[in-house]
């Protein structure tokens, strides 16, 4: 049994979460069961002065009772470098300047306090950008703001999918059929909405058979679920009406996970979720606030939150010895 840790959880408001499926809440329950002390704060509560990073944080206890799932104590100024052992960076994207600034502030304490996932690595590995390092496992992909490039890609590959480069949760994902209807209007809207380029990929008919979420803990496969799109949908994210079913990994998916493992460990990316379509096409590497562990454990009888805390406790022990 490890010594009790002080754990600061940087996340969205607790009253807004769905405790039945929320991975952050599952991690908090697991930490509390191990005797760790929990604090909650939002990214906007971070402060810096004189080399210190602190947050106005509430001590919190949690329980699996819908509508009465957390109790706050009186807020304190928690020094994240000196008074916390672990910071869980679990607020949802968008991966905007507020998110990036939080990683810069937390990076200043990462030599003393374990930040999960490592803030510099999170900043340098946005979901749909870092995955390009593993392009050999990806479907044909174009990153652009150019309508002409999008048209040429469509002509080469037939039906395509257009999505924001820093989107999340299955939002704003559009299929454009081979006739290109509405492609120009769609690129126009995307260019007006986002300053960065957009991601365009060849449409994979295999998405009808599901989009697999595989969770890796410190580089090791913890489990997976297959997310099936709802009626009339190409998106299989649970947040937009997809449904989860039990699944196993294909040989190709095992190959993908093996290729990722050393880089995840090197970068301090302890809790990662990857998305694979049709058993073979890697589309995202989720490092900011990965989800899916509650559904995985429900189907497989596993304890993924416990695996994550085992990895965290090992890392904290190594830091304190070092």
């Amino acid at each position: 049994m490890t010594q009790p840790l002080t754990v600061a959880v940087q996340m969205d408001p607790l009253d807004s979460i769905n405790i039945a499926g929320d991975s952050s809440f599952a991690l908090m329950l697991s930490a509390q069961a191990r005797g760790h002390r929990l604090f909650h704060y939002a990214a906007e509560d971070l402060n810096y002065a004189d080399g210190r990073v602190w947050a106005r944080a509430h001590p919190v206890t949690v329980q699996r009772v819908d509508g009465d799932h957390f109790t706050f104590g009186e807020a304190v100024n928690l020094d994240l470098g000196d008074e916390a052992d672990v910071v869980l960076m679990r607020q949802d994207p968008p991966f905007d300047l507020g998110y990036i600034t939080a990683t810069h502030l937390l990076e200043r304490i990462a030599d003393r306090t374990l930040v999960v996932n490592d803030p510099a690595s999170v900043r340098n590995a946005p979901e749909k950008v870092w995955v390009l390092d593993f392009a050999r496992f990806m479907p044909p992909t174009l990153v652009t703001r150019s309508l002409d490039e999008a048209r040429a890609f469509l002509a080469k590959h037939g039906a395509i999918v257009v999505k924001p480069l820093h989107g999340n949760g299955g939002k704003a994902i559009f299929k454009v059929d081979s006739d290109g209807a509405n492609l120009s209007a769609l690129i126009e809207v995307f260019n007006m909405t986002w300053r960065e380029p957009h991601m365009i990929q060849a449409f994979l008919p295999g998405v009808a058979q599901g989009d697999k979420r595989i969770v890796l803990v410190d580089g090791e496969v913890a489990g997976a679920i297959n997310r099936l799109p709802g009626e009339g949908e190409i998106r299989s994210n649970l947040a937009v009406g997809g449904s989860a079913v039990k699944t196993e990994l294909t040989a190709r998916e095992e190959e993908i996970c093996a290729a990722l493992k050393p880089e995840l460990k090197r970068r301090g990316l302890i809790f990662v979720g990857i998305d694979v379509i049709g058993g073979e096409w890697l589309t995202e590497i989720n490092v900011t606030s990965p989800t899916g562990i509650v559904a995985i454990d429900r189907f497989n009888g596993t304890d993924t939150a416990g695996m994550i805390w085992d990895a965290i406790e090992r890392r904290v022990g190594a830091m304190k010895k070092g």
Side-chain angles (χ1 to χ4, degrees):
M1 172 68 182
T2 186
Q3 291 294 315
L5 303 176
T6 297
V7 179
V9 187
Q10 176 179 301
M11 64 179 288
D12 300 317
L14 276 169
D15 56 8
S16 68
I17 65 172
N18 173 13
I19 67 169
D22 190 273
S23 294
S24 300
F25 189 73
L27 286 170
M28 294 173 76
L29 282 171
S30 182
Q32 183 175 272
R34 291 174 177 233
H36 301 324
R37 187 182 182 203
L38 295 172
F39 288 83
H40 174 279
Y41 72 93
E44 54 264 32
D45 296 322
L46 284 170
N47 306 277
Y48 168 89
D50 301 323
R52 296 173 54 245
V53 177
W54 76 94
R56 189 69 175 167
H58 290 270
V60 62
T61 57
V62 289
Q63 59 181 357
R64 195 173 286 286
V65 178
D66 200 17
D68 185 25
H69 53 278
F70 71 97
T71 302
F72 275 160
E74 187 173 345
V76 298
N77 287 336
L78 183 68
D79 188 312
L80 298 178
D82 290 338
E83 297 174 334
D85 299 296
V86 180
V87 172
L88 294 183
M89 191 166 56
R90 291 289 306 170
Q91 85 269 20
D92 287 338
F95 191 78
D96 56 12
L97 281 174
Y99 206 115
I100 290 168
T101 301
T103 68
H104 280 294
L105 291 175
L106 292 176
E107 190 178 4
R108 296 178 176 275
I109 61 157
D111 60 332
R112 292 168 287 158
T113 300
L114 181 67
V115 183
V116 180
N117 286 317
D118 178 85
S121 293
V122 166
R123 185 173 66 247
N124 292 329
E127 270 76 25
K128 296 182 184 70
V129 179
W130 184 40
V131 70
L132 301 175
D133 284 5
F134 303 91
R136 64 192 184 277
F137 299 119
M138 295 179 67
T141 297
L142 170 70
V143 178
T144 191
R145 290 175 61 85
S146 165
L147 175 59
D148 288 342
E149 295 295 340
R151 281 175 169 156
F153 188 82
L154 177 72
K156 182 177 181 180
H157 296 289
I160 58 173
V161 171
V162 182
K163 51 190 172 182
L165 197 63
H166 297 300
N168 71 294
K171 301 181 186 74
I173 296 177
F174 294 87
K175 179 188 176 189
V176 178
D177 287 323
S178 56
D179 61 5
N182 293 322
L183 178 61
S184 61
L186 185 60
I187 295 298
E188 180 181 321
V189 170
F190 268 51
N191 283 348
M192 290 172 60
T193 305
W194 293 285
R195 294 187 62 186
E196 64 270 16
H198 326 299
M199 177 168 274
I200 302 175
Q201 292 181 315
F203 175 69
L204 301 174
V207 74
Q209 279 74 55
D211 178 1
K212 198 173 295 184
R213 163 55 56 91
I214 304 170
V215 168
L216 298 106
V217 176
D218 210 14
E220 302 290 343
V221 175
I225 52 169
N226 196 30
R227 301 170 299 183
L228 299 173
E231 181 100 17
E233 269 282 2
I234 62 165
R235 303 175 298 172
S236 54
N237 305 69
L238 302 185
V240 294
S243 59
V245 296
K246 187 176 174 65
T247 190
E248 302 290 339
L249 266 59
T250 65
R252 166 79 163 190
E253 288 164 342
E254 290 176 351
E255 181 187 357
I256 292 170
C257 293
L260 286 170
K261 177 179 176 177
E263 199 60 25
L264 297 178
K265 291 180 75 70
R266 187 182 73 81
R267 291 174 178 244
L269 296 170
I270 292 175
F271 177 14
V272 170
I274 69 171
D275 296 337
V276 182
I277 290 177
E280 60 176 322
W281 298 109
L282 177 66
T283 58
E284 292 189 21
I285 305 172
N286 296 275
V287 304
T288 50
S289 183
T291 61
I293 66 174
V294 175
I296 286 171
D297 290 344
R298 184 169 67 247
F299 284 116
N300 299 335
T302 46
D303 179 16
T304 307
M307 291 178 62
I308 293 167
W309 281 110
D310 286 344
I312 290 172
E313 289 166 3
R314 285 194 301 270
R315 293 257 183 155
V316 171
M319 286 178 71
K320 291 187 174 180
K321 285 179 183 175

